[in-house]
Amino acid sequence: MFVPSQYREPDTSWMVDLVRGNPLALLVTNGKPEDGPFATHLPVIADPDRHKEWPPALVGSTLLGHMNRMNPHWEALEHGSTVLLTFTGPHAYVSPTVYQVTPAAPTWNFTSVHIRGTVQKIDSLEETLEVVKATVRAFEADFGAGWDMTESLDYFRRIVPGVGAFRIEVTGADGMFKLSQEQPPEVSDRVRRSFGGRECSRHRETAALMDRLPQD
């Protein structure tokens, strides 16, 4: 991912927060020339056997994911190959009316993290079940209501043969936080305030990130 210097994250915690808060990733891999690339949306977590909490830096961490084994992407996924995970955070359209200057051009403020790593397919049904259980625990803790999966474990065991689980050893990560840093402070502040006053939660989340930007 091309990231101009002014749009790089202030520190790696920004990337970790974005990935943890927006864990539905797009997994992209190369296919054979006749197939083209494969892309699948799927949930991703940090491997709890390696990390009690999300690691402060993504590079060197281990991530877990899973997909439907009926998905052709699963068969095309090659053990040991390099894959790309993309995560999208808050984003919003910037109308030139906010700038209050002419000439001006519209743009889109957005946040994204791209992670590259080596994939390891998991063959064991028990290990696959553990990935599913770990995913439930992680998302119930972060987004759920403390659901107890105990009474559903037999159901999990019945469906897990159709689940393809994998690990990704992270070798690289890039974050793009395009939040009007190229604008004069008074203009970027108008953009931030316009986002913060919108009913749309996506705009307000973008404004909150702009609030976190270091001030020169």
Side-chain angles (χ1 to χ4, degrees):
M1 176 168 60
F2 171 63
V3 184
S5 58
Q6 69 265 40
Y7 299 141
R8 291 200 172 274
E9 77 288 347
D11 59 67
T12 57
S13 69
W14 282 59
M15 290 197 293
V16 173
D17 289 349
L18 187 148
V19 170
R20 181 171 184 172
N22 302 272
L24 186 68
L26 181 65
L27 174 70
V28 182
T29 63
N30 292 326
K32 296 178 181 179
E34 61 270 24
D35 297 326
F38 286 88
T40 298
H41 290 277
L42 44 80
V44 175
I45 64 169
D47 185 345
D49 290 337
R50 289 279 306 277
H51 316 286
K52 291 184 178 180
E53 297 289 341
W54 270 91
L58 291 168
V59 175
S61 63
T62 303
L63 307 181
L64 299 177
H66 65 278
M67 68 171 72
N68 191 324
R69 280 180 178 264
M70 294 294 291
N71 186 340
H73 196 170
W74 176 252
E75 184 177 353
L77 195 62
E78 295 184 2
H79 187 88
S81 62
T82 298
V83 300
L84 172 69
L85 289 168
T86 71
F87 300 81
T88 301
H91 59 93
Y93 173 70
V94 183
S95 169
T97 58
V98 180
Y99 294 154
Q100 299 179 11
V101 296
T102 301
T107 190
W108 204 287
N109 278 3
F110 69 93
T111 57
S112 181
V113 171
H114 287 195
I115 290 175
R116 293 185 182 274
T118 303
V119 68
Q120 300 171 355
K121 296 175 78 170
I122 296 172
D123 295 323
S124 163
L125 288 180
E126 281 305 313
E127 285 188 75
T128 299
L129 177 60
E130 288 304 314
V131 170
V132 173
K133 289 162 62 177
T135 303
V136 171
R137 291 189 194 100
F139 293 155
E140 279 297 315
D142 286 347
F143 309 110
W147 176 66
D148 185 346
M149 73 180 91
T150 303
E151 294 183 0
S152 295
L153 290 179
D154 286 342
Y155 173 65
F156 283 11
R157 290 187 178 92
R158 290 199 301 271
I159 65 174
V160 82
V163 176
F166 56 86
R167 294 183 183 86
I168 293 177
E169 302 293 336
V170 178
T171 58
D174 285 305
M176 177 85 156
F177 291 83
K178 182 181 177 295
L179 299 170
S180 297
Q181 297 97 318
E182 79 285 1
Q183 296 294 337
E186 64 274 13
V187 175
S188 62
D189 186 58
R190 283 199 293 271
V191 174
R192 179 188 58 79
R193 286 187 283 110
S194 73
F195 286 171
R198 299 282 290 274
E199 292 185 2
C200 173
S201 60
R202 181 165 47 80
H203 285 79
R204 295 198 303 272
E205 289 169 359
T206 306
L209 277 179
M210 294 178 72
D211 273 334
R212 288 178 56 189
L213 285 173
Q215 302 299 314
D216 294 333

